[in-house]
Amino acid sequence: MTYAELREFYEDYIAVLNAREFHRLEEFIAEELTHFGDAVTRDQVVAALNAQVDAVPDLKWRLDDFRASGHEVAARLTNTGTPVKEWLGVAPTGASFEVTEYALYRIRDGRFVNMTNLQDSDAARQQLGG
């Protein structure tokens, strides 16, 4: 994939996440992949996303920066939301959070085969009053 194709692919992925069209993640994520170095299935990734949006229904990902080289993609995002259930160990208070996420991916055959991300969970907890 060219740089432009990788960027469009990633922007489409973020749009699918924000639209909660998790049934479409087969377009983006391989059936089997590594997530934080662990072997997982796409269904496990979808289950984790469903759990996140169950706790934070208005969770949004905004792409702020994008880089790609070969089959490697890096992104800097801003994540925002207001939990309605316990999230990151903090009971809901009506407070919202806004944190930066850094995400790294490897793509093979047009799908993510490795996904790793990092967000400042401590900052989110502080913003939520935890």
Side-chain angles (χ1 to χ4, degrees), residues 57-84:
D58 65 344
L59 180 62
K60 292 288 182 197
W61 293 266
R62 183 185 75 218
L63 180 60
D64 296 325
D65 198 10
F66 177 87
R67 298 287 186 268
S69 178
H71 299 285
E72 306 284 326
V73 169
R76 181 175 52 84
L77 305 110
T78 298
N79 301 344
T80 59
T82 307
V84 298

Side-chain angles (χ1 to χ4, degrees), residues 85-110:
K85 294 183 178 179
E86 183 176 307
W87 189 67
L88 299 176
V90 179
T93 63
S96 298
F97 67 89
E98 179 175 310
V99 294
T100 299
E101 175 184 347
Y102 297 96
L104 303 171
Y105 306 86
R106 183 173 300 119
I107 298 173
R108 185 173 52 232
D109 299 327

